[in-house]
Amino acid sequence: MATATHDLLPPETPATPPSDSVVVRFAGDSGDGMQLTGGQFTLSTALSGNDLATFPDFPAEIRAPQGTLFGVSAFQINFGSTEIDTAGDQPDVLVAMNPAALKVNVDQLRAGGLIIADEGEFTERNLAKAKYAANPLTDGSLADWQLMTLNISQLTLDAVKPFGLGNKEALRCKNMWTLGLALWMFDRDRAPLVNWLKEKFAKKPVLADANIAALNAGHAYGETAELAGPMKQYHLAPAPAEAGLYRTVTGAEAVSLGLVAGAQLAGLDMFFGGYPITPASAILHHLSRLKEYRVTTFQAEDEIAAICAAIGASYAGQLGVTSSSGPGIALKGEAMGLAIMTELPLVIVNSQRGGPSTGLPTKTEQSDLYQAVYGRNGDAPMPVIAARSPADAFDCAIEAVRIATEYMTPVILLTDGYIANAAEPWRVPDMSAYAPFPVEFMDHAPEGGFKPYGRDEKLARPWVKPGTPGLLHRIGGIEKAVDTGNIDYSPANHQAMTDLRQSKVLGVRVPDQQVELGEDSGKLAIVGWGSTFGPIHQAVRRARRRGQDVAHIHLRHIWPMPANLGDLLKRYDKIIVPEMNTGQLKTVLRDQFLVDAKPLNKVSGQPFRIAEIEAAIDAALA
């Protein structure tokens, strides 16, 4: 029984890190710029060579009442000199810009962690909005943590006073003052941020200068504050990494780039039809900036129009792509059936979020697996692929394009709110290492005559651009006759076409399932899919270092499943399936392979913690 090479990787993030990794959480009102602060801190961290993972956590309200609990926006980053797979179980440092931010986030801070609070915002009115009966900065309720109170609001006003800004505009620089403090605390270079501010406010140099002054003032305060109090400076060495060109990438960016790369490998122009919906909208935003790569983007009036336009583009000979989140995917359901019936290539990206209905628009969940595999009228099979991380979404998007074009079928690519918004370092790939899969359009009638629903060895029908001389044919949602594509309602024909469509999808060639970490048999397998990869991987790694017999298996191909998966699962005594739903992959595994898979479910809108999976491993092996 061979041990996977992943066991030889560098040490994982320890439970209480400060030596080789740190978790920082910036939290404030949704108007305090916490996402921007976190994003720029992420950039500086990547430039310092640390490995990292982020978790943006923002409210669903477009602009909740200022200072309220449901208006809190946060950004968490885990970074260090070791391999980082998750955004961290518990923050080591919490920056709280107001009472509501403190109340919502403080219980997640590890014991002994550092709170940096803007005491200038802890007014009676703001305390009441956060439902504090007394000021937590002074009543002793924060005794479990180190506390450093600063009047960030006043310090920011003092720093930008020379620039003549109004009070409201001046206070908008608070996030830059806070960022300056964080850059000092973790020994980060300010120069890239200064250049970014100059570029961002090129047409308003006064605002650039004011924000730079706030950034520098926060940094200078850190140098002074080090002389007294709990604040210290940390330096984390760069993480080991292969040589190459790196950039930070979010899941939405990686999906967009992967779709374009897939279209290029197929030799196709790409048409993207979309409709704005959280958290899928970012894909439309990114693709709209890539027109020079033969990409056309179309913001439709609704979800149905978006997918139907994409189907029309595929009919015309381009790669049709659409994306949405759960509610929009439901609206696209009938058109997905049309793409299955017409047997046209189409990529559908589902950035999953909490549901049902409108649910939790800005929170993460994995509850659309049933919808992806089964959720259409009739027997309507489609291949389904799931990305495990922001960087992995690039390769998954290419794989979706390959399957769609080689098998003439729509394909669903599953990500989720965490993957879409989170960022991590990504080694920009050498595209010469990717094998092209160029599309061949039928351009003349073959010997024996043209059969619109004739099939090749993969059961794919020919792709014909409309208007090609001699290849006139019909497509549509009504059942088609075998080979000819004429309308045919007969029982025998429907049976035959249903069987053919099913056989085509089940015949999609996918790689055999590998064990990510551990042996290929044993006492316990943790089986995951999608964004649970990071916490599962770290939990299994820690458990194995304690001598526990546990392995990690992670699925990319949800449907059809790898041919060896059933035999592999049966070589373990116990199986646990962690999912951010009520047990959907667990049910599919039980159905397909008759294995006694046990669920580990979480539907809080938050990712799994490593400790939650470790506890499940301990209980299973007790």
Side-chain angles (χ1 to χ4, degrees):
M1 294 184 295
T3 301
T5 55
H6 296 74
D7 283 346
L8 305 177
L9 291 171
E12 86 286 0
T13 307
T16 45
S19 59
D20 59 6
S21 74
V22 175
V23 181
V24 179
R25 190 170 180 90
F26 300 94
D29 192 75
S30 56
D32 284 338
M34 292 297 94
Q35 302 304 319
L36 186 142
T37 302
Q40 291 305 309
F41 186 78
T42 298
L43 174 62
S44 68
T45 298
L47 291 172
S48 297
N50 295 131
D51 198 8
L52 63 92
T54 70
F55 176 47
D57 188 13
F58 38 85
E61 289 76 9
I62 293 173
R63 187 65 176 92
Q66 192 169 6
T68 56
L69 294 172
F70 50 90
V72 173
S73 178
F75 187 102
Q76 183 164 306
I77 177 172
N78 183 11
F79 59 99
S81 54
T82 184
E83 181 187 11
I84 302 293
D85 287 323
T86 79
D89 276 15
Q90 294 179 294
D92 301 293
V93 179
L94 171 63
V95 179
M97 302 297 284
N98 64 8
L102 178 67
K103 187 161 194 175
V104 168
N105 292 282
V106 70
D107 289 339
Q108 300 175 47
L109 187 65
R110 70 168 176 83
L114 174 63
I115 299 170
I116 301 173
D118 180 7
E119 63 184 11
E121 289 293 316
F122 281 70
T123 62
E124 286 189 18
R125 184 181 180 191
N126 285 345
L127 289 167
K129 287 181 181 178
K131 306 193 183 311
Y132 274 120
N135 190 339
L137 303 184
T138 58
D139 68 359
S141 61
L142 303 177
D144 289 342
W145 302 282
Q146 301 178 73
L147 176 63
M148 188 159 194
T149 59
L150 317 172
N151 195 334
I152 296 175
S153 298
Q154 188 58 53
L155 290 165
T156 302
L157 291 173
D158 294 342
V160 304
K161 187 175 181 180
F163 302 96
L165 302 180
N167 197 65
K168 185 176 181 181
E169 206 164 33
L171 285 174
R172 286 180 180 157
C173 300
K174 278 199 309 181
N175 61 334
M176 287 297 110
W177 194 100
T178 306
L179 180 57
L181 180 66
L183 293 178
W184 170 83
M185 192 172 184
F186 297 103
D187 197 19
R188 299 281 180 257
D189 185 9
R190 281 168 288 165
L193 281 304
V194 170
N195 293 335
W196 175 78
L197 285 166
K198 288 180 178 178
E199 184 178 340
K200 179 177 176 63
F201 295 110
K203 296 181 179 179
K204 297 181 179 179
V206 172
L207 291 181
D209 291 342
N211 278 279
I212 292 168
L215 182 81
N216 291 334
H219 193 277
Y221 190 93
E223 295 175 328
T224 306
E226 187 184 18
L227 301 175
M231 190 181 299
K232 304 297 178 188
Q233 191 173 49
Y234 295 88
H235 176 79
L236 287 88
E242 293 182 62
L245 175 65
Y246 286 82
R247 58 162 289 182
T248 58
V249 68
T250 66
E253 290 171 330
V255 164
S256 303
L257 293 170
L259 290 169
V260 175
Q264 298 277 316
L265 290 168
L268 294 171
D269 291 357
M270 188 175 98
F271 176 93
F272 178 90
Y275 180 77
I277 182 172
T278 303
S281 302
I283 296 173
L284 171 60
H285 300 161
H286 292 304
L287 286 174
S288 67
R289 296 193 286 266
L290 300 175
K291 294 174 183 174
E292 67 269 30
Y293 298 103
R294 297 155 53 195
V295 176
T296 300
T297 53
F298 168 58
Q299 181 175 317
E301 65 269 27
D302 56 46
E303 297 282 7
I304 299 171
I307 186 172
C308 288
I311 292 171
S314 289
Y315 174 59
Q318 295 193 6
L319 174 66
V321 181
T322 189
S323 82
S324 191
S325 298
I329 296 294
L331 287 167
K332 295 178 190 290
E334 183 184 358
M336 287 186 209
L338 175 62
I340 290 167
M341 185 68 88
T342 57
E343 299 190 49
L344 286 168
L346 179 72
V347 177
I348 304 130
V349 184
N350 181 357
S351 300
Q352 300 166 95
R353 69 189 207 183
S357 186
T358 321
L360 308 174
T362 60
K363 307 302 179 183
T364 194
E365 206 165 274
Q366 293 180 294
S367 52
D368 294 351
L369 186 143
Y370 285 161
Q371 183 186 45
V373 176
Y374 304 121
R376 291 162 293 281
N377 68 294
D379 284 297
M382 291 172 60
V384 180
I385 299 169
R388 66 172 60 172
S389 69
D392 184 55
F394 176 82
D395 287 316
C396 288
I398 292 176
E399 177 73 345
V401 175
R402 181 190 70 80
I403 292 174
T405 54
E406 288 187 356
Y407 292 86
M408 291 293 285
T409 179
V411 177
I412 289 183
L413 171 57
L414 294 173
T415 70
D416 59 41
Y418 175 55
I419 290 176
N421 295 316
E424 65 180 358
W426 177 52
R427 188 184 182 206
V428 178
D430 176 5
M431 291 308 299
S432 66
Y434 287 76
F437 41 89
V439 166
E440 292 186 10
F441 292 96
M442 183 175 283
D443 58 5
H444 63 278
E447 188 176 342
F450 172 47
K451 297 177 180 179
Y453 279 80
R455 300 178 187 277
D456 62 15
E457 71 283 357
K458 296 178 181 177
L459 299 183
R461 77 171 188 85
W463 196 357
V464 179
K465 292 183 180 180
T468 304
L471 300 180
L472 184 67
H473 65 289
R474 71 175 77 192
I475 63 170
I478 297 177
E479 185 62 280
K480 298 293 177 285
V482 173
D483 291 339
T484 68
N486 296 326
I487 293 173
D488 191 337
Y489 297 119
S490 69
N493 180 75
H494 182 53
Q495 180 75 56
M497 288 296 281
T498 300
D499 291 344
L500 280 168
R501 288 188 290 264
Q502 182 184 45
S503 296
K504 179 172 72 170
V505 171
L506 292 179
V508 171
R509 290 195 294 269
V510 303
D512 279 352
Q513 183 62 48
Q514 303 297 313
V515 178
E516 298 291 338
L517 191 58
E519 285 78 37
D520 60 7
S521 64
K523 291 183 179 179
L524 177 63
I526 308 297
V527 181
W529 67 281
S531 64
T532 56
F533 177 86
I536 293 175
H537 205 64
Q538 289 285 21
V540 170
R541 177 174 294 193
R542 293 179 186 180
R544 289 182 58 78
R545 289 195 169 144
R546 293 194 297 270
Q548 292 173 301
D549 184 359
V550 58
H552 175 199
I553 296 170
H554 215 79
L555 303 188
R556 169 181 282 184
H557 292 275
I558 304 297
W559 198 263
M561 290 181 162
N564 70 326
L565 181 59
D567 290 338
L568 177 62
L569 294 179
K570 289 173 182 176
R571 294 202 289 266
Y572 295 93
D573 297 339
K574 295 182 179 181
I575 299 168
I576 295 176
V577 185
E579 300 181 78
M580 291 185 289
N581 58 45
T582 56
Q584 297 186 16
L585 179 63
K586 173 266 301 178
T587 302
V588 175
L589 293 178
R590 286 180 175 183
D591 169 62
Q592 292 297 305
F593 307 119
L594 301 179
V595 293
D596 187 19
K598 302 292 187 185
L600 176 62
N601 304 137
K602 181 173 184 176
V603 285
S604 65
Q606 301 292 316
F608 271 100
R609 293 183 176 183
I610 301 168
E612 292 169 332
I613 298 172
E614 283 187 286
I617 292 171
D618 291 342
L621 296 176

